[in-house]
Amino acid sequence: MKALILVGGFGTRLRPLTLSVPKPLVDFANKPMIMHQIEALKAVGVTEVVLAINYQPEVMLNFLKDFEAKLGITITCSQETEPLGTAGPLALARDKLVDELGEPFFVLNSDVISEYPLKAMIEFHKSHGGEASIMVTKVDEPSKYGVVVTEESTGKVEKFVEKPKIFVGNKINAGIYLLNPSVLDKIELRPTSIEKEVFPKIAAENKLYAMVLPGFWMDIGQPRDYITGLRLYLDSLRKNSSPKLASGSHIVGNVLVDESAKIGEGCLIGPDVAVGPGCVIEAGVRLSRCTIMRGVRVKKHACISSSIIGWHSTVGQWARVENMTVLGEDVHVCDEIYSNGGVVLPHKEIKSSILKPEIVM
């Protein structure tokens, strides 16, 4: 089987992290976002993953070469010269996606994190005999999204309603699809939307079916959702009794700590924290609801909550970093500094406190 991951553009909502690497390579729960998807695809027998990309393909490919060998999966790029939306990339990558057996292929949005029940999706797709399957997820506030209206018993998609004013349902497109090659005949090579142009056509022919995604779902393309996504992901590890979760008297709730990280005396870590490889967390540090990326040093008695600390940064002694602060790569926060929602570009030194959310150039 084959799969296409829609990598797309510049990842502006996750700046300053995406100023250092393309968005799919930003770490989430101690591995690049896209690796969660590639591993899940590999586990259900996908042998080739095509990345639809219009930005820095060589950075992506160089990085993923190591993983190709490790996972035993082929990773190639299909590069757009202009942004082609969410359907155009499928037309562009057509020759890479169709195999001689005419098997269906997966399409995933690269920002989506979930438990990826892809095996169940393959079975669902075979059972209904339609042309395309989409995953949907139930949300509390459907009015913010495009809602997928389905026939309850079969999952057959009846229509799509964009940001409904009155309640028509609570299922939204989760950005995970399984498509027969014949779907490619419906897509022209031009900027086009799979959600707004292609799927409604297939639904009109009664050949589109939706499967409700079990477990959690999050689009982690911006900092607040990234932090929420980490909580949901760690919750799911706990439910599945994952041995990856850290334990000990200094751990509260669900925490991931890379085995190469060093944790000092008297720290309190958690809930909902990921500490990356090579990090040094000195004595008396308090961490909650945050991600500490590879090579970061957090000095004595610093306190970090609801924030993302980019690669190789330093947080000084007694510093307090909170309220969706995002530090880019190699940022140095001096001792006793307070950051309230600062968004700091890479390679900066912060010598005075950031008292209200702002971007520090």
Side-chain angles (χ1 to χ4, degrees), residues 263-318:
I263 309 279
E265 291 288 302
C267 290
L268 195 54
I269 297 177
D272 308 323
V273 172
V275 178
C279 290
V280 177
I281 311 295
E282 294 185 3
V285 165
R286 176 76 181 100
L287 305 176
S288 63
R289 293 180 306 282
C290 62
T291 285
I292 310 292
M293 291 186 184
R294 186 182 58 252
V296 166
R297 178 178 286 267
V298 181
K299 295 189 176 173
K300 290 176 188 165
H301 307 293
C303 177
I304 301 172
S305 67
S306 302
S307 296
I308 303 173
I309 310 300
W311 310 270
H312 306 291
S313 292
T314 309
V315 175
Q317 297 184 32
W318 295 102

Tab-separated table of all heavy atoms in Angstrom, residues 263-318:
chain	number	residue	atom	x	y	z
A	263	ILE	N	17.770	14.687	35.102
A	263	ILE	CA	16.837	15.410	35.972
A	263	ILE	C	17.480	15.573	37.343
A	263	ILE	O	17.915	14.589	37.950
A	263	ILE	CB	15.513	14.620	36.132
A	263	ILE	CG1	14.944	14.204	34.777
A	263	ILE	CG2	14.513	15.426	36.968
A	263	ILE	CD1	14.183	15.214	34.010
A	264	GLY	N	17.555	16.813	37.842
A	264	GLY	CA	18.221	17.085	39.126
A	264	GLY	C	17.365	16.744	40.340
A	264	GLY	O	16.236	16.278	40.222
A	265	GLU	N	17.939	17.014	41.507
A	265	GLU	CA	17.263	16.729	42.782
A	265	GLU	C	16.066	17.670	42.987
A	265	GLU	O	16.111	18.838	42.583
A	265	GLU	CB	18.236	16.990	43.948
A	265	GLU	CG	19.392	16.000	44.040
A	265	GLU	CD	18.916	14.641	44.526
A	265	GLU	OE1	18.342	14.583	45.629
A	265	GLU	OE2	19.096	13.651	43.789
A	266	GLY	N	15.033	17.160	43.637
A	266	GLY	CA	13.950	18.034	44.103
A	266	GLY	C	13.123	18.690	43.011
A	266	GLY	O	12.497	19.721	43.229
A	267	CYS	N	13.105	18.091	41.820
A	267	CYS	CA	12.260	18.641	40.754
A	267	CYS	C	10.832	18.111	40.903
A	267	CYS	O	10.613	17.068	41.518
A	267	CYS	CB	12.776	18.202	39.384
A	267	CYS	SG	14.335	18.962	38.946
A	268	LEU	N	9.894	18.826	40.326
A	268	LEU	CA	8.523	18.329	40.233
A	268	LEU	C	8.106	18.483	38.773
A	268	LEU	O	8.075	19.591	38.244
A	268	LEU	CB	7.600	19.132	41.153
A	268	LEU	CG	6.236	18.510	41.439
A	268	LEU	CD1	6.378	17.085	41.975
A	268	LEU	CD2	5.456	19.363	42.432
A	269	ILE	N	7.841	17.365	38.113
A	269	ILE	CA	7.612	17.373	36.667
A	269	ILE	C	6.258	16.755	36.344
A	269	ILE	O	5.981	15.624	36.722
A	269	ILE	CB	8.746	16.622	35.942
A	269	ILE	CG1	10.052	17.378	36.194
A	269	ILE	CG2	8.476	16.511	34.447
A	269	ILE	CD1	11.261	16.732	35.617
A	270	GLY	N	5.412	17.530	35.650
A	270	GLY	CA	4.105	17.057	35.240
A	270	GLY	C	3.009	17.928	35.843
A	270	GLY	O	3.291	18.817	36.643
A	271	PRO	N	1.788	17.720	35.431
A	271	PRO	CA	1.382	16.748	34.418
A	271	PRO	C	1.634	17.268	33.000
A	271	PRO	O	1.891	18.450	32.810
A	271	PRO	CB	-0.131	16.621	34.676
A	271	PRO	CG	-0.531	17.976	35.195
A	271	PRO	CD	0.644	18.467	35.993
A	272	ASP	N	1.548	16.341	32.035
A	272	ASP	CA	1.531	16.668	30.598
A	272	ASP	C	2.799	17.390	30.154
A	272	ASP	O	2.757	18.508	29.640
A	272	ASP	CB	0.274	17.500	30.258
A	272	ASP	CG	-0.990	16.818	30.758
A	272	ASP	OD1	-1.040	15.577	30.699
A	272	ASP	OD2	-1.905	17.498	31.234
A	273	VAL	N	3.917	16.697	30.348
A	273	VAL	CA	5.228	17.264	30.000
A	273	VAL	C	5.994	16.265	29.130
A	273	VAL	O	5.929	15.055	29.358
A	273	VAL	CB	6.041	17.568	31.288
A	273	VAL	CG1	7.477	17.977	30.947
A	273	VAL	CG2	5.364	18.655	32.107
A	274	ALA	N	6.729	16.796	28.140
A	274	ALA	CA	7.679	15.975	27.385
A	274	ALA	C	9.054	16.621	27.512
A	274	ALA	O	9.218	17.808	27.227
A	274	ALA	CB	7.271	15.887	25.921
A	275	VAL	N	10.034	15.833	27.966
A	275	VAL	CA	11.417	16.316	28.089
A	275	VAL	C	12.247	15.534	27.065
A	275	VAL	O	12.313	14.304	27.109
A	275	VAL	CB	11.967	16.081	29.516
A	275	VAL	CG1	13.413	16.546	29.609
A	275	VAL	CG2	11.099	16.807	30.552
A	276	GLY	N	12.882	16.254	26.141
A	276	GLY	CA	13.549	15.637	24.997
A	276	GLY	C	14.950	15.132	25.293
A	276	GLY	O	15.469	15.264	26.411
A	277	PRO	N	15.598	14.566	24.267
A	277	PRO	CA	16.942	13.995	24.416
A	277	PRO	C	17.962	15.059	24.815
A	277	PRO	O	17.896	16.205	24.358
A	277	PRO	CB	17.273	13.453	23.023
A	277	PRO	CG	16.057	13.610	22.188
A	277	PRO	CD	15.059	14.429	22.914
A	278	GLY	N	18.911	14.664	25.657
A	278	GLY	CA	20.042	15.530	26.000
A	278	GLY	C	19.687	16.739	26.839
A	278	GLY	O	20.523	17.626	27.037
A	279	CYS	N	18.449	16.812	27.347
A	279	CYS	CA	18.076	17.967	28.180
A	279	CYS	C	18.699	17.833	29.564
A	279	CYS	O	18.912	16.726	30.065
A	279	CYS	CB	16.558	18.059	28.333
A	279	CYS	SG	15.733	18.520	26.810
A	280	VAL	N	18.982	18.978	30.170
A	280	VAL	CA	19.456	18.993	31.559
A	280	VAL	C	18.471	19.839	32.364
A	280	VAL	O	18.301	21.032	32.115
A	280	VAL	CB	20.877	19.595	31.650
A	280	VAL	CG1	21.325	19.660	33.114
A	280	VAL	CG2	21.862	18.761	30.830
A	281	ILE	N	17.810	19.189	33.306
A	281	ILE	CA	16.857	19.876	34.179
A	281	ILE	C	17.526	19.933	35.559
A	281	ILE	O	17.708	18.896	36.196
A	281	ILE	CB	15.514	19.105	34.260
A	281	ILE	CG1	14.997	18.740	32.867
A	281	ILE	CG2	14.485	19.880	35.067
A	281	ILE	CD1	14.619	19.889	31.968
A	282	GLU	N	17.937	21.117	35.980
A	282	GLU	CA	18.702	21.237	37.235
A	282	GLU	C	17.789	21.116	38.460
A	282	GLU	O	16.568	20.967	38.326
A	282	GLU	CB	19.486	22.561	37.232
A	282	GLU	CG	20.569	22.599	36.153
A	282	GLU	CD	21.441	23.858	36.202
A	282	GLU	OE1	21.257	24.705	37.116
A	282	GLU	OE2	22.307	24.010	35.313
A	283	ALA	N	18.393	21.215	39.631
A	283	ALA	CA	17.662	20.969	40.885
A	283	ALA	C	16.501	21.948	41.089
A	283	ALA	O	16.575	23.116	40.713
A	283	ALA	CB	18.631	21.069	42.061
A	284	GLY	N	15.414	21.428	41.687
A	284	GLY	CA	14.326	22.295	42.127
A	284	GLY	C	13.486	22.920	41.029
A	284	GLY	O	12.777	23.897	41.249
A	285	VAL	N	13.546	22.354	39.830
A	285	VAL	CA	12.779	22.919	38.710
A	285	VAL	C	11.341	22.394	38.737
A	285	VAL	O	11.092	21.246	39.110
A	285	VAL	CB	13.469	22.558	37.367
A	285	VAL	CG1	12.541	22.801	36.176
A	285	VAL	CG2	14.756	23.346	37.214
A	286	ARG	N	10.387	23.242	38.329
A	286	ARG	CA	8.981	22.844	38.236
A	286	ARG	C	8.522	22.938	36.776
A	286	ARG	O	8.620	24.008	36.175
A	286	ARG	CB	8.138	23.797	39.109
A	286	ARG	CG	6.627	23.574	39.049
A	286	ARG	CD	6.244	22.352	39.863
A	286	ARG	NE	4.810	22.074	39.820
A	286	ARG	CZ	4.244	21.156	39.045
A	286	ARG	NH1	4.979	20.465	38.198
A	286	ARG	NH2	2.950	20.922	39.107
A	287	LEU	N	8.068	21.816	36.222
A	287	LEU	CA	7.588	21.802	34.834
A	287	LEU	C	6.159	21.270	34.795
A	287	LEU	O	5.868	20.237	35.402
A	287	LEU	CB	8.452	20.873	33.960
A	287	LEU	CG	9.963	21.092	33.905
A	287	LEU	CD1	10.623	19.999	33.054
A	287	LEU	CD2	10.283	22.467	33.317
A	288	SER	N	5.259	21.961	34.091
A	288	SER	CA	3.910	21.415	33.875
A	288	SER	C	3.376	21.851	32.518
A	288	SER	O	3.708	22.946	32.041
A	288	SER	CB	2.953	21.871	34.988
A	288	SER	OG	2.806	23.271	34.965
A	289	ARG	N	2.589	20.969	31.881
A	289	ARG	CA	1.957	21.259	30.565
A	289	ARG	C	2.915	21.941	29.591
A	289	ARG	O	2.624	23.025	29.084
A	289	ARG	CB	0.709	22.135	30.762
A	289	ARG	CG	-0.431	21.438	31.505
A	289	ARG	CD	-1.637	22.327	31.674
A	289	ARG	NE	-1.303	23.590	32.302
A	289	ARG	CZ	-1.098	23.756	33.603
A	289	ARG	NH1	-1.192	22.723	34.438
A	289	ARG	NH2	-0.792	24.931	34.097
A	290	CYS	N	4.058	21.331	29.370
A	290	CYS	CA	5.023	21.980	28.473
A	290	CYS	C	5.854	20.944	27.724
A	290	CYS	O	5.903	19.773	28.087
A	290	CYS	CB	5.937	22.922	29.266
A	290	CYS	SG	6.935	22.090	30.501
A	291	THR	N	6.500	21.422	26.665
A	291	THR	CA	7.431	20.591	25.899
A	291	THR	C	8.817	21.223	25.993
A	291	THR	O	8.970	22.423	25.745
A	291	THR	CB	6.990	20.519	24.427
A	291	THR	OG1	5.867	19.643	24.340
A	291	THR	CG2	8.094	19.957	23.547
A	292	ILE	N	9.786	20.406	26.370
A	292	ILE	CA	11.177	20.846	26.481
A	292	ILE	C	11.927	20.067	25.404
A	292	ILE	O	12.086	18.850	25.513
A	292	ILE	CB	11.753	20.494	27.882
A	292	ILE	CG1	10.809	20.955	29.006
A	292	ILE	CG2	13.158	21.063	28.052
A	292	ILE	CD1	10.667	22.437	29.166
A	293	MET	N	12.356	20.756	24.344
A	293	MET	CA	12.930	20.043	23.196
A	293	MET	C	14.410	19.711	23.392
A	293	MET	O	15.046	20.180	24.332
A	293	MET	CB	12.702	20.855	21.925
A	293	MET	CG	11.220	20.873	21.542
A	293	MET	SD	10.936	21.666	19.973
A	293	MET	CE	9.156	21.608	19.908
A	294	ARG	N	14.928	18.938	22.464
A	294	ARG	CA	16.282	18.397	22.530
A	294	ARG	C	17.320	19.447	22.934
A	294	ARG	O	17.346	20.566	22.424
A	294	ARG	CB	16.630	17.835	21.153
A	294	ARG	CG	17.942	17.113	21.043
A	294	ARG	CD	18.205	16.653	19.619
A	294	ARG	NE	18.209	17.756	18.657
A	294	ARG	CZ	17.263	17.997	17.767
A	294	ARG	NH1	16.215	17.217	17.673
A	294	ARG	NH2	17.341	19.022	16.957
A	295	GLY	N	18.206	19.068	23.876
A	295	GLY	CA	19.372	19.895	24.191
A	295	GLY	C	19.096	21.145	25.018
A	295	GLY	O	19.950	22.023	25.114
A	296	VAL	N	17.931	21.230	25.636
A	296	VAL	CA	17.600	22.410	26.451
A	296	VAL	C	18.189	22.255	27.856
A	296	VAL	O	18.248	21.149	28.400
A	296	VAL	CB	16.056	22.591	26.542
A	296	VAL	CG1	15.663	23.574	27.650
A	296	VAL	CG2	15.497	23.040	25.202
A	297	ARG	N	18.619	23.376	28.443
A	297	ARG	CA	19.030	23.383	29.852
A	297	ARG	C	18.083	24.288	30.635
A	297	ARG	O	17.902	25.449	30.279
A	297	ARG	CB	20.473	23.880	29.999
A	297	ARG	CG	20.943	23.953	31.472
A	297	ARG	CD	22.393	24.404	31.602
A	297	ARG	NE	23.327	23.353	31.227
A	297	ARG	CZ	23.872	22.480	32.072
A	297	ARG	NH1	23.594	22.529	33.365
A	297	ARG	NH2	24.707	21.567	31.636
A	298	VAL	N	17.475	23.725	31.674
A	298	VAL	CA	16.620	24.530	32.564
A	298	VAL	C	17.347	24.616	33.896
A	298	VAL	O	17.607	23.601	34.547
A	298	VAL	CB	15.224	23.878	32.745
A	298	VAL	CG1	14.356	24.759	33.646
A	298	VAL	CG2	14.542	23.672	31.395
A	299	LYS	N	17.703	25.846	34.288
A	299	LYS	CA	18.550	26.008	35.479
A	299	LYS	C	17.736	25.969	36.774
A	299	LYS	O	16.510	26.002	36.753
A	299	LYS	CB	19.363	27.292	35.343
A	299	LYS	CG	20.347	27.215	34.166
A	299	LYS	CD	21.300	28.388	34.154
A	299	LYS	CE	22.325	28.246	33.032
A	299	LYS	NZ	23.144	29.459	32.897
A	300	LYS	N	18.469	25.954	37.893
A	300	LYS	CA	17.861	25.699	39.206
A	300	LYS	C	16.631	26.565	39.485
A	300	LYS	O	16.630	27.774	39.217
A	300	LYS	CB	18.892	25.966	40.298
A	300	LYS	CG	20.000	24.944	40.328
A	300	LYS	CD	21.049	25.308	41.367
A	300	LYS	CE	22.252	24.385	41.238
A	300	LYS	NZ	23.415	24.876	41.954
A	301	HIS	N	15.600	25.891	40.007
A	301	HIS	CA	14.405	26.569	40.533
A	301	HIS	C	13.617	27.365	39.498
A	301	HIS	O	12.806	28.216	39.849
A	301	HIS	CB	14.767	27.477	41.725
A	301	HIS	CG	15.525	26.760	42.793
A	301	HIS	ND1	14.975	25.760	43.551
A	301	HIS	CD2	16.828	26.859	43.182
A	301	HIS	CE1	15.888	25.284	44.382
A	301	HIS	NE2	17.028	25.922	44.174
A	302	ALA	N	13.857	27.107	38.226
A	302	ALA	CA	13.015	27.751	37.207
A	302	ALA	C	11.654	27.052	37.195
A	302	ALA	O	11.515	25.901	37.631
A	302	ALA	CB	13.672	27.656	35.839
A	303	CYS	N	10.651	27.774	36.684
A	303	CYS	CA	9.290	27.234	36.644
A	303	CYS	C	8.737	27.464	35.236
A	303	CYS	O	8.716	28.602	34.758
A	303	CYS	CB	8.446	27.969	37.687
A	303	CYS	SG	6.744	27.453	37.672
A	304	ILE	N	8.341	26.386	34.559
A	304	ILE	CA	7.828	26.499	33.189
A	304	ILE	C	6.461	25.826	33.118
A	304	ILE	O	6.314	24.672	33.532
A	304	ILE	CB	8.782	25.811	32.182
A	304	ILE	CG1	10.184	26.434	32.246
A	304	ILE	CG2	8.230	25.905	30.752
A	304	ILE	CD1	11.236	25.697	31.418
A	305	SER	N	5.462	26.548	32.611
A	305	SER	CA	4.139	25.928	32.423
A	305	SER	C	3.511	26.416	31.126
A	305	SER	O	3.766	27.537	30.676
A	305	SER	CB	3.216	26.237	33.604
A	305	SER	OG	2.906	27.608	33.631
A	306	SER	N	2.683	25.565	30.525
A	306	SER	CA	1.927	25.890	29.297
A	306	SER	C	2.797	26.601	28.264
A	306	SER	O	2.427	27.670	27.765
A	306	SER	CB	0.714	26.756	29.641
A	306	SER	OG	-0.108	26.082	30.559
A	307	SER	N	3.953	26.025	27.969
A	307	SER	CA	4.900	26.671	27.056
A	307	SER	C	5.661	25.628	26.240
A	307	SER	O	5.654	24.439	26.572
A	307	SER	CB	5.890	27.538	27.848
A	307	SER	OG	5.190	28.601	28.499
A	308	ILE	N	6.320	26.114	25.190
A	308	ILE	CA	7.153	25.243	24.349
A	308	ILE	C	8.555	25.847	24.309
A	308	ILE	O	8.729	27.011	23.937
A	308	ILE	CB	6.592	25.155	22.903
A	308	ILE	CG1	5.140	24.667	22.922
A	308	ILE	CG2	7.464	24.238	22.051
A	308	ILE	CD1	4.451	24.701	21.555
A	309	ILE	N	9.538	25.049	24.731
A	309	ILE	CA	10.922	25.529	24.787
A	309	ILE	C	11.698	24.859	23.649
A	309	ILE	O	11.882	23.644	23.647
A	309	ILE	CB	11.571	25.185	26.152
A	309	ILE	CG1	10.666	25.625	27.322
A	309	ILE	CG2	12.966	25.808	26.245
A	309	ILE	CD1	10.364	27.120	27.385
A	310	GLY	N	12.109	25.671	22.664
A	310	GLY	CA	12.748	25.142	21.453
A	310	GLY	C	14.150	24.611	21.695
A	310	GLY	O	14.783	24.880	22.720
A	311	TRP	N	14.638	23.893	20.702
A	311	TRP	CA	15.908	23.155	20.783
A	311	TRP	C	17.065	24.021	21.301
A	311	TRP	O	17.254	25.160	20.876
A	311	TRP	CB	16.290	22.658	19.385
A	311	TRP	CG	15.182	21.932	18.686
A	311	TRP	CD1	14.920	20.595	18.739
A	311	TRP	CD2	14.181	22.501	17.822
A	311	TRP	NE1	13.820	20.300	17.964
A	311	TRP	CE2	13.354	21.436	17.396
A	311	TRP	CE3	13.892	23.803	17.377
A	311	TRP	CZ2	12.258	21.630	16.543
A	311	TRP	CZ3	12.802	23.990	16.521
A	311	TRP	CH2	12.002	22.922	16.115
A	312	HIS	N	17.870	23.440	22.176
A	312	HIS	CA	19.145	24.033	22.629
A	312	HIS	C	18.978	25.408	23.290
A	312	HIS	O	19.898	26.224	23.285
A	312	HIS	CB	20.153	24.121	21.458
A	312	HIS	CG	20.357	22.799	20.785
A	312	HIS	ND1	21.006	21.753	21.391
A	312	HIS	CD2	19.941	22.337	19.582
A	312	HIS	CE1	20.987	20.702	20.585
A	312	HIS	NE2	20.346	21.030	19.483
A	313	SER	N	17.799	25.661	23.839
A	313	SER	CA	17.604	26.921	24.567
A	313	SER	C	18.010	26.745	26.028
A	313	SER	O	18.237	25.624	26.491
A	313	SER	CB	16.141	27.363	24.484
A	313	SER	OG	15.827	27.742	23.155
A	314	THR	N	18.110	27.873	26.745
A	314	THR	CA	18.432	27.849	28.176
A	314	THR	C	17.427	28.711	28.922
A	314	THR	O	17.124	29.821	28.475
A	314	THR	CB	19.833	28.456	28.427
A	314	THR	OG1	20.764	27.831	27.546
A	314	THR	CG2	20.283	28.242	29.858
A	315	VAL	N	16.921	28.199	30.022
A	315	VAL	CA	16.049	28.998	30.883
A	315	VAL	C	16.796	29.191	32.202
A	315	VAL	O	17.222	28.222	32.834
A	315	VAL	CB	14.692	28.292	31.111
A	315	VAL	CG1	13.835	29.067	32.110
A	315	VAL	CG2	13.946	28.138	29.778
A	316	GLY	N	17.001	30.450	32.596
A	316	GLY	CA	17.873	30.783	33.738
A	316	GLY	C	17.289	30.418	35.100
A	316	GLY	O	16.120	30.049	35.227
A	317	GLN	N	18.131	30.553	36.136
A	317	GLN	CA	17.705	30.245	37.502
A	317	GLN	C	16.545	31.138	37.924
A	317	GLN	O	16.527	32.333	37.620
A	317	GLN	CB	18.859	30.477	38.479
A	317	GLN	CG	20.046	29.572	38.220
A	317	GLN	CD	21.136	29.747	39.273
A	317	GLN	OE1	20.854	30.029	40.426
A	317	GLN	NE2	22.383	29.578	38.870
A	318	TRP	N	15.579	30.542	38.630
A	318	TRP	CA	14.429	31.268	39.184
A	318	TRP	C	13.616	31.999	38.110
A	318	TRP	O	12.819	32.880	38.423
A	318	TRP	CB	14.872	32.259	40.278
A	318	TRP	CG	15.461	31.588	41.481
A	318	TRP	CD1	16.788	31.489	41.776
A	318	TRP	CD2	14.765	30.882	42.513
A	318	TRP	NE1	16.971	30.758	42.940
A	318	TRP	CE2	15.740	30.388	43.421
A	318	TRP	CE3	13.420	30.611	42.775
A	318	TRP	CZ2	15.404	29.648	44.552
A	318	TRP	CZ3	13.087	29.887	43.920
A	318	TRP	CH2	14.074	29.411	44.782
